[in-house]
Amino acid sequence: TVGIAWRCSPIATSVLVALQLVSAAVTAFGLLGFAQVLTGVLESTDTTGQLLAALPALATVAGCYALAGLATVGADAAQARLAPGVRRLAEDALVTATADTELIDFDDAGFYDALVRARDRGVDALGRAVIQLARLCAASISLLAMGSVVGTLHPLLLLALLASVLPSGWATVRAARMGYSMVLRTMPTRRRMGQLRDLLTEREPAAEVRSYTAQAALLGRYRDVAARLERIEVRLGLRQNWVDTFGRSLSGVGMAVAYGLLVWLVMAGAVAVGGAAAMLVAIQAARSSLAQAAYMMNLLYEQSLYVKDYGAFRREAEARRRAAQARALGPAPVLSRSIEVCGVSFRYPGADVDALRDIDLTIPRGKVLALVGENGSGKSTLAKLLAGLYRPRVGTIRWDGVDLAMTDPDSVRSQIALVPQRSTNWPLTAEQNITIGRPYESEPDRDRLAEVAAESGADSVIAGLSAGGDTLLSKEFRGGAELSTGQWQRLAMARALYRDAPVLICDEPTAPLDARAEALVYDALRRLAGGRTVILITHRLASVRMADQIIVLADGRIVERGRHEELVNAAGHYAELYALQASLSADVASVAGAPPSL
Ligand code: ADP
């Protein structure tokens, strides 16, 4: 926290600490001055004369308190400068570190979990911790100052003061530790409760939860978890209360001893009456500083949990970035001949088996490759490897003979346009949803934009929007619009076409599309063939007839390959899938009374 505060503003951080020191020092000085004035006045018979004589000293005391007040105001201003800055810096560092990570890191459950915790809790915790740290620092300095005032009056009194504040200080720290370990232990329970609460309160699952009438079942589970958490919290609260009571009782005894000692010292003439009055003020001030320090310590314990998470995530992200940088890779060649996949195997982090095994294939430039297979056979994984989003565990992917492992991944991705299975609904305007395909462009290419909108069917989506291409596609803002899944997919297709990349990868691009839009997309893909390399994943086998090469995957392996006719004649896996689909289509057609067609 201190590191980030320093980076945010070394001046504000130094001013904050310096002013707190000044504030505590002048308060202590003022208190000692007050003790002297009081002693003088009380010990003299000519009270009026003594009062007049003490006026300059009283003015100094008043000046001290005014200065202490000013220093506190200055310290608060420095704190107001620091807290938002620390939050901004912390979030900026987190977002930058995340933007630099690879897709595979998001599949690593531990890393992703750390990212979510750092993002959702860590950043705010740092902002709060900086304020709490400043207040803890102020309270501790003030405690020290009051201790030194008491010590100046009589060393024995310092011991008495310690006896009166230390036990309750210990109790507070102990209670805070208990709270901290409880938060650590109940983290999974809290997360579970959060998931159930989100299912019941968020927009996305609202339709499905209601259509399955699952509210009561979810509510029941939510209440079970919430009640368990409540029981743990109540138990903790009671135990903390015991510790606190014990500490306070000991402190009470310490206070009684301190007051008794003070009376004895005054009677013995070891401490002046004015000093005793100052001692009383110092004890009260020390106790309130201690209460403040203890409270801040409590809050800091809680924040430290999330600040630690934040730090751990940053270190891990940095280590991964360094490891990637250490490879010091050159740019990939501009694809002119072929993509070759040689003996590639791939396994997701934390998985027991490979998602892809021993994949060998060659995709000449300008040809259409279709990936076919049942759900979970590895098609999307292979598409992501080809898109340079994952690196193979074993084997190589080569572009014009150059191993992509030896090249900068961004230089590969800049030559690829991807329509993923679940495309992103970018919360931008409709037009920007397409032009983000070329993020480096300062002004969109209007002609090409119109062309791709027509080719993908996005033109009719845009025409239906209140502000056309300038309509914001996010329901969360006033005037924002929401699209249907199929309409979003048309935009995704337009975005990929707009990118004008030599390699186009489409992962089931037409699944949510209506018949007209689907026909448009396949028309566009047919037109692209010859110029661009197209890698197409689809379950509509009729639409892969045009492919130059069809790869059939099963359990992560290539089980068949060839052109449509060859595979149908081979009477293997593909032929079986094709026949199944044809019979399904015939059934549907006969129900509808139309001749079967595929
Ligand atoms: P397909 O596209 O053919 O339906 P995928 O390539 O998506 O299949 O998945 C292949 C296998 O990899 C499946 O067994 C799936 O469970 C697993 N898998 C897919 N994505 C992930 C992931 N992000 N993390 C772990 N395993 C995954």
Side-chain angles (χ1 to χ4, degrees):
T1 303
V2 173
I4 294 194
W6 184 259
R7 248 176 293 141
C8 169
S9 169
I11 297 179
T13 310
S14 320
V15 165
L16 181 62
V17 175
L19 288 184
Q20 277 167 351
L21 277 171
V22 168
S23 167
V26 288
T27 308
F29 189 69
L31 198 57
L32 284 174
F34 171 68
Q36 262 179 10
V37 172
L38 208 59
T39 308
V41 171
L42 290 177
E43 284 176 357
S44 160
T45 44
D46 175 14
T47 316
T48 323
Q50 271 296 338
L51 209 55
L52 285 177
L55 272 183
L58 269 179
T60 313
V61 171
C64 279
Y65 282 109
L67 190 60
L70 274 179
T72 309
V73 170
D76 284 352
Q79 190 182 299
R81 157 74 189 88
L82 276 179
V86 163
R87 219 173 302 127
R88 183 188 62 78
L89 260 190
E91 189 155 271
D92 189 289
L94 178 109
V95 173
T96 310
T98 312
D100 282 345
T101 53
E102 290 291 324
L103 179 65
I104 193 86
D105 297 327
F106 283 82
D107 293 309
D108 180 338
F111 181 80
Y112 184 64
D113 199 40
L115 161 64
V116 172
R117 273 184 288 144
R119 182 196 64 193
D120 292 353
R121 305 279 205 137
V123 171
D124 275 342
L126 268 161
R128 278 194 291 268
V130 84
I131 297 180
Q132 288 154 7
L133 211 53
R135 294 195 180 151
L136 176 65
C137 182
S140 310
I141 294 175
S142 155
L143 197 61
L144 272 180
M146 291 306 120
S148 51
V149 166
V150 174
T152 317
L153 294 170
H154 200 286
L156 262 185
L157 286 176
L158 181 61
L159 282 182
L161 175 70
L162 285 180
S164 76
V165 297
L166 279 184
S168 58
W170 164 84
T172 311
V173 173
R174 175 98 191 89
R177 268 174 183 272
M178 286 160 71
Y180 176 81
S181 68
M182 187 277 286
V183 172
L184 266 188
R185 260 185 300 123
T186 54
M187 205 60 120
T189 316
R190 280 171 204 281
R191 212 171 294 158
R192 190 77 189 133
M193 193 171 84
Q195 284 175 339
L196 291 165
R197 183 197 52 217
D198 291 351
L199 268 178
L200 284 160
T201 55
E202 282 191 352
R203 182 169 165 237
E204 200 115 298
E208 211 163 327
V209 166
R210 278 157 189 72
S211 77
Y212 279 102
T213 54
Q215 296 100 313
L218 288 174
L219 207 55
R221 281 181 205 188
Y222 168 79
R223 284 185 181 146
D224 277 352
V225 180
R228 205 171 342 134
L229 201 60
E230 183 186 341
R231 278 195 298 276
I232 295 174
E233 282 177 352
V234 168
R235 258 205 312 271
L236 169 81
L238 291 176
R239 276 175 47 220
Q240 283 176 322
N241 192 259
W242 269 113
V243 171
D244 200 38
T245 309
F246 182 64
R248 275 170 195 266
S249 310
L250 276 187
S251 272
V253 174
M255 274 288 273
V257 172
Y259 285 141
L261 189 66
L262 189 59
V263 170
W264 179 71
L265 286 172
V266 171
M267 281 168 52
V271 170
V273 181
M279 164 78 186
L280 288 180
V281 175
I283 287 183
Q284 284 316 317
R287 288 179 69 82
S288 93
S289 295
L290 179 83
Q292 168 82 350
Y295 179 55
M296 287 304 138
M297 196 99 99
N298 238 329
L299 297 180
L300 264 174
Y301 256 116
E302 200 181 315
Q303 304 309 329
S304 71
L305 185 68
Y306 305 116
V307 171
K308 261 193 219 164
D309 276 350
Y310 176 87
F313 169 73
R314 286 278 313 276
R315 276 191 296 280
E316 179 62 26
E318 182 58 22
R320 290 180 186 221
R321 195 183 65 80
R322 287 234 175 96
Q325 244 179 11
R327 290 199 281 266
L329 306 165
V334 176
L335 186 67
S336 62
R337 296 198 308 274
S338 65
I339 301 174
E340 287 165 68
V341 179
C342 311
V344 161
S345 294
F346 177 80
R347 180 176 294 192
Y348 284 101
D352 301 327
V353 290
D354 286 345
L356 287 175
R357 274 171 287 178
D358 306 323
I359 304 291
D360 284 295
L361 62 100
T362 303
I363 316 164
R365 191 195 153 116
K367 299 290 178 193
V368 177
L369 171 85
L371 297 175
V372 171
E374 291 170 23
N375 297 134
S377 56
K379 304 181 297 293
S380 297
T381 309
L382 180 53
K384 287 190 185 129
L385 276 154
L386 291 170
L389 292 170
Y390 293 139
R391 285 171 189 276
R393 188 169 69 95
V394 181
T396 53
I397 298 178
R398 297 201 193 108
W399 276 28
D400 294 350
V402 177
D403 183 356
L404 291 190
M406 298 297 138
T407 63
D408 170 19
D410 278 346
S411 68
V412 178
R413 293 169 202 156
S414 65
Q415 298 184 55
I416 289 170
L418 173 72
V419 184
Q421 206 168 39
R422 270 181 290 229
S423 60
T424 301
N425 303 346
W426 303 71
L428 306 170
T429 66
E431 193 180 290
Q432 287 165 347
N433 254 278
I434 301 175
T435 56
I436 191 81
R438 293 190 209 164
Y440 44 83
E441 218 172 46
S442 53
E443 274 303 309
D445 174 347
R446 298 256 149 228
D447 294 341
R448 184 71 190 129
L449 187 62
E451 247 171 56
V452 301
E455 283 174 0
S456 59
D459 52 355
S460 60
V461 176
I462 294 174
L465 295 169
S466 57
D470 293 329
T471 312
L472 180 67
L473 299 183
S474 171
K475 243 337 210 181
E476 283 161 37
F477 294 96
R478 196 189 296 264
E482 183 57 284
L483 300 181
S484 74
T485 316
Q487 288 174 320
W488 274 117
Q489 190 67 0
R490 291 184 187 202
L491 288 187
M493 200 63 215
R495 179 162 57 243
L497 294 174
Y498 185 73
R499 192 163 172 80
D500 269 342
V503 182
L504 176 65
I505 302 179
C506 298
D507 191 350
E508 297 190 37
T510 59
L513 293 183
D514 59 40
R516 189 186 303 278
E518 182 171 8
L520 271 176
V521 166
Y522 282 116
D523 255 6
L525 290 182
R526 254 188 292 275
R527 258 178 281 125
L528 286 179
R532 297 197 220 176
T533 307
V534 177
I535 296 157
L536 175 66
I537 299 177
T538 180
H539 290 297
R540 313 212 177 187
L541 301 187
S543 54
V544 301
R545 281 164 181 252
M546 58 144 177
D548 299 293
Q549 188 183 184
I550 299 168
I551 297 286
V552 185
L553 286 161
D555 286 333
R557 288 181 192 280
I558 297 180
V559 288
E560 282 169 37
R561 64 177 88 208
R563 293 185 67 92
H564 175 76
E565 291 74 20
E566 291 164 13
L567 292 175
V568 169
N569 291 336
H573 201 78
Y574 180 86
E576 188 190 343
L577 288 177
Y578 186 73
L580 263 174
Q581 222 173 62
S583 70
L584 195 67
S585 179
D587 283 352
V588 173
S590 64
V591 169
S597 70
L598 190 71

